């Protein structure tokens, strides 16, 4: 399977290792509050190859920016099953990075490039996720188990103190009992289990904990107890199922191509800001106004400035925003991109729609060899 490029913004070489605390595996848990969905990002630090599990369509920008900032080459976007409550972000990630789309073949979805079956192994760098078939919530549920059995991603088969419902999508409580007891509870007691959902802030559990305390099948519960519990539950239909299930059976591919609504290829940073690269600004310099929010001393000083940029120091920005051109998008710049990030935020908050921060600021603009104008002689390198 082909690995993707790590994205337009190559991070510093040490970033991925530093982010992982020096260990060989990078692991991030992300949360979508609207649907209570957890998304997981795993990467093999030496090779930078990674996988994402259960991404959410509406969180695509967040997930992609994290992948890009950490310099991860996404090998695959994996879903634990065809969800009924949210649409997967797999198609969007596939389009953005070229990663594979992995889902159980049994789910029968379109656009899957990596159809999975029990016993398959999904490699990323030196690490491997083992695929275990765990049907019962749906007939296409899988659990992804890390090679050393320290972590497993159970989807909706097993939740923290609960489990997925069995009353639609070919669900079956007897099947789910068998899946959990044979495929998940046979993992080491200390194996940490990460669910697809939680609505009360519980992000992780362990095999030992769920064996002891799961409200439906822990302790001394038998299969009969479990099935009796599941069959007696009267659950409302998931309110997004009519939209979510068809969307997931296309692997999250939109029915219509998404219209390009933006004035520029904005990349939203993981911090949440719209940003542009020096290369884009250099190529589109005439189409935008560049606003320099440094001090007058810096603007007129030896570092120089982007040619034809307008000085408006950050402390005066809010009071003097009316002086900024209204007929063109604004690109904000400072020395490093930090003060201009705040300026970008302030202008967006004030209702200016077409505003972006220059990523890396004047420093990066200069490092990448784009022209500056300076009044004072440049300091010697
Ligand atoms: Fe589900």
């Amino acid at each position: 399977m082909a690995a993707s490029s790590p994205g337009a913004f190559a991070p510093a070489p040490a970033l991925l290792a530093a982010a992982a605390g020096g260990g060989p595996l990078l692991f991030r848990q992300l949360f979508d509050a609207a649907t209570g969905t957890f998304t997981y990002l795993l990467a093999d630090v030496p090779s930078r190859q990674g996988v994402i599990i259960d991404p959410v369509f509406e969180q695509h920008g967040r997930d992609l920016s994290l992948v890009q900032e950490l310099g991860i080459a996404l090998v695959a976007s994996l879903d634990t099953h065809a969800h009924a409550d949210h649409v997967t972000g797999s198609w969007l990630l596939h389009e953005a990075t070229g990663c594979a789309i992995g889902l159980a073949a049994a789910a029968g979805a379109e656009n899957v490039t990596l159809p999975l079956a029990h016993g398959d192994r999904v490699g990323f760098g030196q690490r491997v996720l083992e695929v275990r078939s765990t049907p019962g919530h749906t007939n296409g549920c899988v659990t992804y188990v890390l090679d050393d059995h320290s972590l497993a991603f159970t989807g909706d088969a097993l939740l923290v103190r609960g489990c997925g419902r069995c009353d639609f999508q070919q669900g079956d409580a007897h099947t789910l009992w068998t899946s959990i007891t044979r495929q998940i509870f046979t993992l080491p007691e200390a194996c940490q289990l990460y669910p697809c959902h939680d609505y009360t802030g519980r992000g992780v559990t362990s095999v030992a904990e769920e064996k002891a305390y799961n409200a439906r099948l822990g302790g001394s519960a038998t299969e009969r107890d479990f099935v009796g519990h599941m069959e007696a539950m009267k659950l409302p239909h998931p309110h997004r199922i009519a939209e979510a299930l068809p969307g997931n059976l296309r692997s999250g591919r939109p029915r219509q191509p998404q219209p390009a609504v933006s004035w520029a290829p904005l990349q939203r940073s993981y911090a949440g800001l719209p940003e542009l690269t020096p290369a884009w600004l250099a190529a589109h310099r005439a189409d935008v106004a560049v606003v320099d929010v440094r001090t007058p001393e810096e603007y007129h000083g030896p570092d120089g400035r982007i040619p034809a940029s307008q000085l408006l120091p950050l402390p005066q920005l809010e009071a003097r925003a009316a002086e900024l051109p209204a007929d063109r998008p604004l690109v904000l710049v400072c020395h490093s991109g930090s003060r201009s990030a705040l300026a970008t935020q302030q202008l967006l908050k004030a209702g200016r729609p077409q505003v972006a921060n220059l990523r890396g600021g004047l420093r990066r603009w200069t490092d990448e060899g784009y022209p500056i104008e300076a009044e004072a002689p440049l300091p010697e390198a």
Side-chain angles (χ1 to χ4, degrees):
M1 101 191 44
S4 67
S5 78
F9 299 113
L15 187 57
L16 199 53
L25 184 80
L26 176 138
F27 174 49
R28 293 288 182 271
Q29 182 181 48
L30 300 149
F31 185 61
D32 176 54
T35 61
T37 304
F38 290 116
T39 296
Y40 301 97
L41 178 65
L42 288 86
D44 170 62
V45 171
S47 69
R48 296 174 169 250
Q49 291 191 6
V51 294
I52 196 163
I53 299 174
D54 287 334
V56 173
F57 187 93
E58 288 80 5
Q59 297 289 355
H60 173 68
R62 175 199 69 184
D63 297 348
L64 184 63
S65 66
L66 183 59
V67 165
Q68 290 177 330
E69 286 186 3
L70 296 179
I72 293 168
L74 211 53
V75 169
S77 177
L78 306 171
D79 276 289
T80 52
H81 61 297
H83 311 278
D85 57 348
H86 68 275
V87 176
T88 177
S90 281
W91 172 264
L92 296 180
L93 286 164
H94 165 73
E95 279 214 308
T97 71
C99 70
I101 297 176
L103 180 72
E110 294 172 15
N111 303 315
V112 172
T113 62
L114 187 64
L116 298 168
H118 184 82
D120 283 351
R121 296 163 69 79
V122 180
F124 53 107
Q126 298 300 308
R127 307 306 299 256
V128 171
L129 284 176
E130 169 193 338
V131 178
R132 294 191 177 193
S133 179
T134 49
H137 168 58
T138 75
N139 61 341
C141 286
V142 298
T143 291
Y144 298 105
V145 182
L146 191 64
D147 42 27
D148 61 4
H149 290 189
S150 61
L151 310 177
F153 302 89
T154 55
D156 289 355
L158 186 65
L159 305 173
V160 181
R161 305 297 189 266
C163 63
R165 62 198 294 172
C166 301
D167 57 337
F168 64 93
Q169 280 187 281
Q170 301 86 39
D172 181 274
H174 289 284
T175 307
L176 186 57
W177 168 270
T178 303
S179 292
I180 294 171
T181 55
R182 295 196 188 159
Q183 300 299 334
I184 299 174
F185 281 181
T186 50
L187 289 164
E189 300 273 304
C191 178
Q192 296 201 318
L193 304 177
Y194 287 91
C196 180
H197 292 293
D198 195 84
Y199 308 98
T200 59
R202 300 170 299 189
V204 61
T205 183
S206 70
V207 169
E209 266 184 74
E210 293 310 311
K211 276 185 177 173
Y213 299 119
N214 190 286
R216 300 176 188 176
L217 73 169
S220 54
T222 62
E223 180 172 352
R224 189 184 58 203
D225 298 330
F226 175 70
V227 173
H229 182 129
M230 295 307 292
E231 291 183 348
M233 291 176 82
K234 303 233 178 331
L235 295 165
H237 226 46
H239 69 280
R240 290 189 62 194
I241 188 168
E243 164 207 359
L245 208 49
N248 287 319
L249 292 176
R250 298 189 304 273
S251 299
R253 182 178 188 165
R255 274 190 203 285
Q256 310 285 341
Q258 298 290 84
V261 290
S262 185
W263 52 277
L266 297 174
Q267 299 231 356
R268 199 160 287 273
S269 71
Y270 192 51
L273 272 187
E275 297 187 319
L276 287 167
T277 59
W280 185 91
L281 178 59
H284 298 83
R285 180 65 194 85
D287 306 329
V288 300
V290 175
V291 182
D292 192 322
V293 299
R294 294 175 300 161
T295 63
E297 293 71 33
E298 289 172 281
Y299 182 83
H300 295 292
D303 284 348
R305 58 189 178 237
I306 294 177
S309 54
Q310 177 176 350
L311 174 66
L312 211 178
L314 179 60
Q316 302 166 27
L317 181 72
E318 281 178 304
R320 295 176 52 198
E323 295 173 28
L324 296 172
D327 59 337
R328 278 167 292 162
L330 304 178
V331 177
L332 282 299
V333 62
C334 69
H335 170 253
S336 68
S338 161
R339 282 171 288 174
S340 56
L342 182 57
T344 303
Q345 252 172 5
Q346 288 181 356
L347 290 172
L348 287 169
K349 218 170 148 187
R352 284 288 306 232
Q354 298 187 330
V355 184
N357 189 27
L358 180 65
R359 186 176 281 202
L362 188 69
R363 181 81 183 266
R364 183 156 166 184
W365 171 271
T366 309
D367 286 349
E368 294 188 7
Y370 296 109
I372 57 166
E373 58 184 21
E375 293 165 27
L378 291 174
E380 295 199 4

